[in-house]
Amino acid sequence: MGTRLFGEPIRRREDARLLTGNGRFLDDLGAGALAAAFVRSPHAHARIRDIDVSGALDVEGLVAIYTWEDLPGLLAEPLPLLIPHPALTHGRTACALAKEIVRHVGEPVVMVVAADRYLAEDACALIEVDYEPLKPVVGLEEAAQGAALVHDDVPENLGAHLVQEVPARDGRGAREVIEAAEHTLAFRLDIERSASMPLEGRGVYARWDGADLRVYSSTQTSTSVRMAIAAKLGLPLTNVEVIAPDVGGGFGVKIVHPWPEEVLVPWAAMTLGREVKWAEDRREHFVSSAHERGQVQYVRVGFDGDGRVQGLDVTILHDHGAYTPYGIIVPIVTSTQLLGPYRIGSYRVEFSSIYTNTVQVTPYRGAGRPQAVFCMERTMDKIAQHLGKDRAEVRAANFIQPDEFPYDQGMTFQDGRPLIYDSGDYPRMLEMLKELIGWDDFERRPGLGIGMACYVEGTGVGPYEGGHVQVTSDGRVHVSTGLTSQGQGHETAFAQIAASELGVPIEQVSVVTGDTRRFGYAVGTFASRAAVVSGNAIALACRKVRAKALRIAAEALEADAADLEITDGLVHVVGSPGASIPLSTIAVLSNPLRYSFDAETAKATQFATATPPDRAPVAEGEEPGLEGRDYYSPIRSTFAAGMHAAIVETDPDTAEIRVLRYAVIHDCGKLVNPMIVEGQVHGGVAQGIGGALYERMVYDPHGQLLNASFMDFLMPYATEIPRIETGHLETPSPLNPLGIKGAGEAGVIPVSAVIASAVEDAEGFDVDRMPISPSDLHHLRFT
């Protein structure tokens, strides 16, 4: 493979279209479609006694009103539990429209379809639902006590319970090791709820022609939405198409499928014989999509005089909200990624995943890792403080060394595969970070603090992705893959891979993602997996195309295929550029024709080619055309890593926290496009600063979300984000052909831990709860 394009900081090809208003997002489609709107529960926990729709029946433009009782067959059954797990003993999912009980504010109860959204909302306002309020369960400690239940058949509100333990080399468990350790510490940590806030909310638009259903969804997984719709509506899979148009951000919330609206809107389109569309408004996103992060962690650690961790015991209470549609992936990731880049003597982790009458919890960028890193890195800081040692020194004492890879942490990761780190150089990363931030030269003064945090991120989880590559007679290369894009730069990165593999100018490459008409098998875009899994699949498909092209060219040029290479779209003999044939001509020759459509295709007609009479025009085992399809299925995850550091200033009067400098060292293996990776890191850090200092979901004891708007849910402006200094270390992964690891979530993962460390350094007292606001800091100063 050439390196002319792979690894180059090429500007994103999609930006010109998106930034000039020429994108095609969900709400740009279906201008004449009927509009759907929903009556949503105002109660966190209540029984539905009656629904009176009579007041809405006279609304002009009203087309239909649906409640749970109107839903047929499988559509009336609970939505799928997508990722079952043996430890998820009491998994529960919602119905598309609430049946008898509502379990969080915002749960959909009635669907209205009208001529436009305004009329649909008018009708919703006139529908009267008679609720019998029930005792809401809010807060992890209250839920764990089990005095009131979210689901009557789930004792103690306990949806899942899982223990994993890695004993010491001598066979002793973590608790026994801790008891015998020279030094021990015990403490509690808290991470509050937050949520992804993509620029574009969720949305669905459906068309039915009497036989085939086409659905557009602002989703991270069009192929899975397709399968879910087909299953719920009883349609053959071949009669359903799902397309993700331009998607204005996802961050995890759009990987959940099917959302109620993703089956209800297509069903309404089929039932009414009309196009139907729904686009989420911002309040709906706050109260009816998904949240994440909320955990309480109880930590005990034993260590020696050098700060080496001999035993670590962590007990986690995880708030998964009212339902578990995405299983227990988040607490599994927290519990397994908590180990970070460290060699821990013995480790025991136990989590309980608890139901509460709040919005369901599903992965949000980082997906359990920010909580894990907060736990491990706060532990490292507390060990350093206890021993009076430098925080970097304590981390270095615990690092896995470069010659220890692959390193088996002895646990089972979220993909059901062993937690084995594939490659890395953590000591080198720490040295790079210290140099970049000026760690050793940092001059302390009151109100100024420095902090750091390290992490390892499992990326590129399976089970697979695929790629299809076709070279047409005009020399263009058409690439398609099933996963979707939400702003990650796939159009550019995948084009770079294809152009490099095939030796063509990148301008000749086009990329399509998230369209089941073009590629029907895929898993989705999440868990920092797109470049690793789809990128390698595209590379493998390109290699099939390349091999065929060289074989055809060898016949045409009367040369040995081993002596040929492709440069700028021309196949030529190595060292003899004059003896060449364009890739476009090879595409023509690869498809024997009976008919001529133009001067170029005439070259492939039956009288123009000299096929031996004893050989079929299309050889046995081959197909016409210059195209290839392949899949990449990873044996296990790759593990990227990073280390962040920050300098913060705290105001002595207002307790405002300002981030003055932020430094990142990141290792995601071979870089396809350093500019895109850097952009991903920068965006992640900005999101992480929001999670560390501003963003939290505030529920009152009645289960009401008190800050369900951008007036009250704070996010950082550009003025709150410092210039982010980055450095890259490349330790290629041995697990895939391109040697790459994921990068999409990297920037957000350690930020809360970094900020906590720096604020603690500036103030001189423990910071064990995040996010931290000025009022939180002020309170800590006087407790």
Side-chain angles (χ1 to χ4, degrees):
M1 182 182 113
T3 57
R4 182 172 51 87
L5 291 169
F6 189 101
E8 293 297 317
I10 294 172
R11 289 186 178 275
R12 288 170 31 126
R13 307 170 76 207
E14 47 269 78
D15 285 352
R17 174 174 58 84
L18 296 174
L19 295 175
T20 56
N22 291 308
R24 296 286 287 170
F25 296 89
L26 191 284
D27 213 24
D28 293 320
L29 309 175
L34 299 176
F38 293 86
V39 176
R40 299 184 183 273
S41 170
H43 299 281
H45 199 193
R47 188 180 311 278
I48 301 171
R49 290 191 291 215
D50 183 57
I51 301 174
D52 182 359
V53 303
S54 60
L57 296 179
D58 293 331
V59 171
E60 182 181 354
L62 176 69
V63 176
I65 299 175
Y66 302 111
T67 68
W68 176 83
E69 293 180 345
D70 298 307
L71 304 182
L74 292 175
L75 192 58
E77 297 296 317
L79 296 168
L81 198 164
L82 293 171
I83 308 178
H85 190 280
L88 182 57
T89 54
H90 293 78
R92 299 291 183 270
T93 61
C95 292
L97 293 172
K99 175 188 177 183
E100 299 178 0
I101 304 287
V102 292
R103 293 184 171 89
H104 68 84
V105 172
E107 186 165 354
V109 177
V110 183
M111 178 187 185
V112 173
V113 182
D116 61 42
R117 181 64 176 262
Y118 299 99
L119 296 172
E121 295 282 4
D122 288 347
C124 285
L126 296 172
I127 294 172
E128 296 184 2
V129 183
D130 182 14
Y131 296 98
E132 175 191 346
L134 303 173
K135 167 70 173 143
V137 180
V138 182
L140 273 167
E141 286 87 352
E142 177 186 345
Q145 291 170 4
L149 298 179
V150 177
H151 300 270
D152 289 341
D153 58 347
V154 181
E156 299 177 319
N157 295 306
L158 184 62
H161 179 254
L162 181 62
V163 177
Q164 290 199 68
E165 183 159 11
V166 183
R169 291 184 178 180
D170 60 10
R172 290 182 299 160
R175 291 178 173 177
E176 185 180 356
V177 170
I178 293 168
E179 291 299 325
E182 181 182 356
H183 302 274
T184 62
L185 292 170
F187 48 92
R188 168 180 165 158
L189 301 170
D190 290 77
I191 296 279
E192 297 185 40
R193 273 193 177 213
S194 186
S196 57
M197 290 293 156
L199 197 62
E200 178 198 33
R202 299 178 294 117
V204 190
Y205 161 50
R207 301 201 314 240
W208 169 251
D209 66 5
D212 296 311
L213 178 67
R214 178 178 292 181
V215 178
Y216 295 83
S217 180
S218 182
T219 180
Q220 293 175 231
T221 175
S222 55
T223 54
S224 295
V225 171
R226 178 193 186 203
M227 294 180 72
I229 289 172
K232 277 292 183 183
L233 301 186
L235 293 171
L237 189 63
T238 52
N239 291 70
V240 181
E241 299 171 347
V242 174
I243 302 160
D246 289 324
V247 177
F251 307 115
V253 71
K254 295 177 183 177
I255 191 62
V256 182
H257 58 276
W259 285 102
E261 299 85 1
E262 283 177 321
V263 289
L264 291 170
V265 169
W267 172 73
M270 294 173 62
T271 302
L272 299 171
R274 298 278 302 278
E275 297 180 9
V276 180
K277 184 173 74 172
W278 168 78
E280 182 180 62
D281 66 36
R282 189 54 61 179
R283 178 170 173 79
E284 283 182 302
H285 187 81
F286 272 98
V287 301
S288 64
S289 288
H291 300 165
E292 217 241 78
R293 303 292 194 247
Q295 286 183 1
V296 175
Q297 304 165 341
Y298 299 92
V299 185
R300 291 188 71 235
V301 61
F303 49 97
D304 65 17
D306 293 323
R308 284 188 290 265
V309 177
Q310 297 167 324
L312 179 63
D313 181 15
V314 182
T315 300
I316 299 169
L317 293 181
H318 173 75
D319 181 353
H320 62 224
Y323 301 106
T324 54
Y326 214 75
I328 51 174
I329 288 296
V330 172
I332 288 175
V333 171
T334 298
S335 60
T336 54
Q337 297 275 256
L338 195 149
L339 295 169
Y342 306 117
R343 186 201 303 109
I344 303 300
S346 58
Y347 175 53
R348 181 185 187 276
V349 62
E350 174 182 2
F351 72 74
S352 297
S353 198
I354 309 293
Y355 285 107
T356 60
N357 287 120
T358 57
V359 175
Q360 66 192 21
V361 166
T362 67
Y364 161 38
R365 193 179 193 178
R369 296 177 187 88
Q371 302 95 307
V373 174
F374 186 69
C375 181
M376 190 74 252
E377 296 303 300
R378 294 279 69 217
T379 299
M380 287 294 170
D381 284 348
K382 289 178 184 295
I383 291 171
Q385 182 185 34
H386 180 81
L387 296 174
K389 289 182 173 292
D390 183 270
R391 288 166 286 170
E393 180 185 347
V394 168
R395 286 170 170 82
N398 287 281
F399 279 153
I400 298 163
Q401 298 301 305
D403 61 358
E404 294 182 279
F405 291 97
Y407 189 86
D408 189 348
Q409 288 282 20
M411 305 187 76
T412 301
F413 191 43
Q414 63 139 313
D415 55 1
R417 300 285 177 141
L419 188 72
I420 301 174
Y421 295 174
D422 48 329
S423 65
D425 188 343
Y426 307 140
R428 174 61 183 143
M429 292 186 78
L430 181 61
E431 290 305 314
M432 292 171 68
L433 181 71
K434 290 173 64 178
E435 181 178 351
L436 186 60
I437 198 68
W439 182 270
D440 291 334
D441 301 323
F442 178 70
E443 296 183 6
R444 283 173 174 77
R445 59 175 173 80
L448 197 67
I450 190 170
M452 69 163 55
C454 312
Y455 68 95
V456 171
E457 178 196 3
T459 73
V461 299
Y464 71 91
E465 289 295 342
H468 179 261
V469 177
Q470 180 184 29
V471 181
T472 49
S473 59
D474 57 2
R476 296 197 59 80
V477 178
H478 305 273
V479 177
S480 57
T481 186
L483 57 65
T484 60
S485 297
Q486 301 90 51
Q488 298 94 330
H490 294 160
E491 185 178 329
T492 303
F494 291 159
Q496 285 182 253
I497 291 171
S500 298
E501 291 283 347
L502 293 176
V504 300
I506 195 170
E507 293 78 16
Q508 292 179 209
V509 182
S510 63
V511 176
V512 172
T513 63
D515 187 337
T516 63
R517 298 170 301 177
R518 293 286 298 272
F519 207 96
Y521 291 93
V523 180
T525 304
F526 60 95
S528 305
R529 67 188 301 273
V532 178
V533 194
S534 268
N536 276 285
I538 289 166
L540 293 173
C542 285
R543 291 176 191 184
K544 285 186 174 181
V545 172
R546 180 184 178 88
K548 185 173 184 179
L550 294 180
R551 187 169 65 252
I552 295 171
E555 291 185 9
L557 295 173
E558 298 182 346
D560 189 329
D563 296 330
L564 300 179
E565 64 180 7
I566 309 176
T567 305
D568 291 329
L570 288 175
V571 183
H572 61 89
V573 177
V574 176
S576 180
S580 64
I581 183 171
L583 204 57
S584 58
T585 300
I586 296 173
V588 171
L589 297 177
S590 70
N591 182 23
L593 296 174
R594 181 176 181 85
Y595 307 110
S596 172
F597 306 107
D598 54 30
E600 192 68 22
T601 58
K603 300 174 185 177
T605 54
Q606 60 191 39
F607 294 109
T609 56
T611 304
D614 59 347
R615 195 181 79 186
V618 178
E620 184 177 352
E622 288 199 2
E623 298 177 354
L626 189 54
E627 58 187 292
R629 178 187 300 267
D630 212 333
Y631 293 85
Y632 174 66
S633 181
I635 188 170
R636 61 179 182 271
S637 295
T638 59
F639 286 86
M643 299 183 187
H644 294 201
I647 297 172
V648 305
E649 183 178 48
T650 58
D651 190 285
D653 299 317
T654 66
E656 180 185 1
I657 300 166
R658 292 180 58 224
V659 183
L660 303 182
R661 288 187 62 195
Y662 203 98
V664 175
I665 302 296
H666 184 247
D667 174 14
C668 60
K670 299 294 291 182
L671 297 172
V672 178
N673 185 317
M675 185 183 298
I676 287 179
V677 171
E678 196 153 312
Q680 287 278 20
V681 170
H682 288 189
V685 169
Q687 211 158 12
I689 289 174
L693 299 178
Y694 304 102
E695 300 169 8
R696 50 161 53 103
M697 292 295 182
V698 182
Y699 278 96
D700 72 8
H702 305 289
Q704 296 292 332
L705 185 60
L706 300 181
N707 59 335
S709 75
F710 286 158
M711 291 289 289
D712 301 302
F713 179 83
L714 302 181
M715 293 188 293
Y717 298 135
T719 50
E720 277 72 62
I721 306 301
R723 185 175 71 88
I724 300 164
E725 305 162 62
T726 57
H728 297 285
L729 177 68
E730 292 183 286
T731 62
S733 173
L735 298 181
N736 61 74
L738 297 177
I740 57 181
K741 310 173 190 178
E745 297 167 280
V748 76
I749 291 170
V751 183
S752 285
V754 173
I755 300 299
S757 180
V759 171
E760 189 171 279
D761 187 52
E763 295 286 332
F765 47 72
D766 292 344
V767 176
D768 292 338
R769 175 187 289 269
M770 296 298 278
I772 183 168
S773 66
S775 59
D776 295 326
L777 181 56
H778 177 79
H779 177 74
L780 286 172
R781 284 173 173 173
F782 294 97
T783 56

